[in-house]
Amino acid sequence: MENWLINQILNKDKIEYGSPGYWEKERKAKLEAFFKAYAKRFTDAIQGMKPDVDGITSSFAESFIESSPAGIIAGKNDKKFKEMIPKGYEYYKSIGT
């Protein structure tokens, strides 16, 4: 076990499929890709590109929680949510985001 662990530490980029470190590396890569794509869609919309409504809604669960200084609400990932996304980005731009 000790030799395996030392080998994994020294060869961080060569973690074997199924090893304990593999799943952590896999999860981290997926999370980084998710947030990178989310940030790109947000930035593109703020900079005036047409919001990728389908990409944005795919980042949300069927139901979700939103919080702001106005309070906390539960939202649904539905047709109304899709309609509100472009309006939300217009608001962000209007306040200088």
Side-chain angles (χ1 to χ4, degrees), residues 9 12 20 22 46-48 54 60 63 70 72-73 75 84-85:
I9 292 168
K12 288 186 267 185
Y22 174 83
I46 293 297
Q47 293 179 347
D54 290 333
F60 287 81
S63 298
I72 300 170
I73 63 168
M84 295 302 294
I85 288 171

mmCIF file of all heavy atoms in Angstrom, residues 9 12 20 22 46-48 54 60 63 70 72-73 75 84-85:
data_model
loop_
_atom_site.group_PDB
_atom_site.id
_atom_site.type_symbol
_atom_site.label_atom_id
_atom_site.label_comp_id
_atom_site.label_asym_id
_atom_site.label_seq_id
_atom_site.Cartn_x
_atom_site.Cartn_y
_atom_site.Cartn_z
ATOM 1 N N ILE A 9 1.424 9.796 -5.554
ATOM 2 C CA ILE A 9 1.806 11.171 -5.225
ATOM 3 C C ILE A 9 2.839 11.694 -6.227
ATOM 4 O O ILE A 9 2.743 12.818 -6.712
ATOM 5 C CB ILE A 9 2.343 11.262 -3.783
ATOM 6 C CG1 ILE A 9 1.200 10.993 -2.800
ATOM 7 C CG2 ILE A 9 2.978 12.620 -3.525
ATOM 8 C CD1 ILE A 9 1.645 10.778 -1.369
ATOM 9 N N LYS A 12 1.150 12.280 -10.091
ATOM 10 C CA LYS A 12 -0.208 12.795 -9.924
ATOM 11 C C LYS A 12 -1.031 12.746 -11.207
ATOM 12 O O LYS A 12 -2.215 12.515 -11.169
ATOM 13 C CB LYS A 12 -0.176 14.233 -9.406
ATOM 14 C CG LYS A 12 0.228 14.369 -7.981
ATOM 15 C CD LYS A 12 0.079 15.791 -7.538
ATOM 16 C CE LYS A 12 1.397 16.500 -7.741
ATOM 17 N NZ LYS A 12 1.414 17.856 -7.236
ATOM 18 N N PRO A 20 -8.328 5.120 -5.749
ATOM 19 C CA PRO A 20 -9.006 6.151 -4.958
ATOM 20 C C PRO A 20 -8.789 7.570 -5.501
ATOM 21 O O PRO A 20 -9.709 8.363 -5.558
ATOM 22 C CB PRO A 20 -8.379 5.987 -3.567
ATOM 23 C CG PRO A 20 -7.927 4.576 -3.519
ATOM 24 C CD PRO A 20 -7.504 4.248 -4.931
ATOM 25 N N TYR A 22 -8.287 8.430 -8.568
ATOM 26 C CA TYR A 22 -8.902 8.603 -9.892
ATOM 27 C C TYR A 22 -10.245 9.299 -9.784
ATOM 28 O O TYR A 22 -10.531 10.230 -10.521
ATOM 29 C CB TYR A 22 -9.079 7.245 -10.576
ATOM 30 C CG TYR A 22 -9.843 7.355 -11.869
ATOM 31 C CD1 TYR A 22 -9.196 7.710 -13.032
ATOM 32 C CD2 TYR A 22 -11.213 7.133 -11.912
ATOM 33 C CE1 TYR A 22 -9.890 7.841 -14.222
ATOM 34 C CE2 TYR A 22 -11.924 7.259 -13.089
ATOM 35 C CZ TYR A 22 -11.258 7.612 -14.239
ATOM 36 O OH TYR A 22 -11.949 7.745 -15.411
ATOM 37 N N ILE A 46 -23.375 38.961 -20.636
ATOM 38 C CA ILE A 46 -23.143 40.303 -20.089
ATOM 39 C C ILE A 46 -22.482 41.198 -21.134
ATOM 40 O O ILE A 46 -22.730 42.388 -21.193
ATOM 41 C CB ILE A 46 -22.271 40.224 -18.808
ATOM 42 C CG1 ILE A 46 -23.036 39.538 -17.692
ATOM 43 C CG2 ILE A 46 -21.793 41.594 -18.366
ATOM 44 C CD1 ILE A 46 -24.284 40.250 -17.243
ATOM 45 N N GLN A 47 -21.650 40.612 -21.979
ATOM 46 C CA GLN A 47 -20.951 41.394 -23.002
ATOM 47 C C GLN A 47 -21.789 41.630 -24.252
ATOM 48 O O GLN A 47 -21.280 42.147 -25.238
ATOM 49 C CB GLN A 47 -19.625 40.718 -23.355
ATOM 50 C CG GLN A 47 -18.640 40.755 -22.206
ATOM 51 C CD GLN A 47 -17.325 40.067 -22.521
ATOM 52 O OE1 GLN A 47 -17.190 39.342 -23.501
ATOM 53 N NE2 GLN A 47 -16.333 40.302 -21.681
ATOM 54 N N GLY A 48 -23.063 41.230 -24.207
ATOM 55 C CA GLY A 48 -23.960 41.557 -25.298
ATOM 56 C C GLY A 48 -24.293 40.436 -26.252
ATOM 57 O O GLY A 48 -25.122 40.626 -27.149
ATOM 58 N N ASP A 54 -30.543 27.548 -23.441
ATOM 59 C CA ASP A 54 -30.527 26.097 -23.221
ATOM 60 C C ASP A 54 -29.321 25.673 -22.387
ATOM 61 O O ASP A 54 -29.449 24.823 -21.498
ATOM 62 C CB ASP A 54 -30.546 25.347 -24.549
ATOM 63 C CG ASP A 54 -31.883 25.463 -25.266
ATOM 64 O OD1 ASP A 54 -32.913 25.643 -24.576
ATOM 65 O OD2 ASP A 54 -31.899 25.375 -26.503
ATOM 66 N N PHE A 60 -29.020 24.132 -14.239
ATOM 67 C CA PHE A 60 -29.904 24.186 -13.074
ATOM 68 C C PHE A 60 -30.680 22.890 -12.927
ATOM 69 O O PHE A 60 -31.061 22.269 -13.914
ATOM 70 C CB PHE A 60 -30.892 25.354 -13.207
ATOM 71 C CG PHE A 60 -30.280 26.696 -12.998
ATOM 72 C CD1 PHE A 60 -29.583 27.321 -14.019
ATOM 73 C CD2 PHE A 60 -30.378 27.348 -11.771
ATOM 74 C CE1 PHE A 60 -29.008 28.567 -13.838
ATOM 75 C CE2 PHE A 60 -29.800 28.589 -11.582
ATOM 76 C CZ PHE A 60 -29.116 29.199 -12.611
ATOM 77 N N SER A 63 -35.743 22.069 -9.848
ATOM 78 C CA SER A 63 -36.099 23.104 -8.875
ATOM 79 C C SER A 63 -34.807 23.568 -8.223
ATOM 80 O O SER A 63 -33.881 22.785 -8.051
ATOM 81 C CB SER A 63 -37.043 22.557 -7.813
ATOM 82 O OG SER A 63 -38.247 22.129 -8.396
ATOM 83 N N ALA A 70 -32.929 40.699 -1.584
ATOM 84 C CA ALA A 70 -34.390 40.792 -1.490
ATOM 85 C C ALA A 70 -35.000 39.590 -0.777
ATOM 86 O O ALA A 70 -36.151 39.631 -0.373
ATOM 87 C CB ALA A 70 -34.989 40.924 -2.883
ATOM 88 N N ILE A 72 -35.022 34.986 -0.229
ATOM 89 C CA ILE A 72 -34.736 33.649 -0.745
ATOM 90 C C ILE A 72 -36.012 33.112 -1.381
ATOM 91 O O ILE A 72 -37.090 33.213 -0.798
ATOM 92 C CB ILE A 72 -34.287 32.713 0.397
ATOM 93 C CG1 ILE A 72 -33.025 33.259 1.042
ATOM 94 C CG2 ILE A 72 -34.074 31.303 -0.108
ATOM 95 C CD1 ILE A 72 -32.631 32.564 2.320
ATOM 96 N N ILE A 73 -35.878 32.564 -2.587
ATOM 97 C CA ILE A 73 -37.039 31.988 -3.262
ATOM 98 C C ILE A 73 -36.670 30.633 -3.868
ATOM 99 O O ILE A 73 -35.507 30.366 -4.135
ATOM 100 C CB ILE A 73 -37.594 32.909 -4.373
ATOM 101 C CG1 ILE A 73 -36.559 33.115 -5.487
ATOM 102 C CG2 ILE A 73 -38.073 34.228 -3.815
ATOM 103 C CD1 ILE A 73 -37.126 33.758 -6.732
ATOM 104 N N GLY A 75 -37.174 28.325 -7.170
ATOM 105 C CA GLY A 75 -37.500 28.513 -8.578
ATOM 106 C C GLY A 75 -37.679 27.188 -9.273
ATOM 107 O O GLY A 75 -37.256 26.147 -8.780
ATOM 108 N N MET A 84 -37.281 34.381 -18.604
ATOM 109 C CA MET A 84 -36.724 35.403 -17.722
ATOM 110 C C MET A 84 -35.202 35.559 -17.859
ATOM 111 O O MET A 84 -34.653 36.585 -17.483
ATOM 112 C CB MET A 84 -37.069 35.092 -16.261
ATOM 113 C CG MET A 84 -38.553 35.166 -15.952
ATOM 114 S SD MET A 84 -39.289 36.777 -16.307
ATOM 115 C CE MET A 84 -38.480 37.803 -15.121
ATOM 116 N N ILE A 85 -34.543 34.567 -18.389
ATOM 117 C CA ILE A 85 -33.071 34.608 -18.466
ATOM 118 C C ILE A 85 -32.567 35.828 -19.241
ATOM 119 O O ILE A 85 -31.731 36.570 -18.718
ATOM 120 C CB ILE A 85 -32.508 33.281 -19.008
ATOM 121 C CG1 ILE A 85 -32.666 32.201 -17.929
ATOM 122 C CG2 ILE A 85 -31.050 33.422 -19.429
ATOM 123 C CD1 ILE A 85 -32.343 30.802 -18.394
#
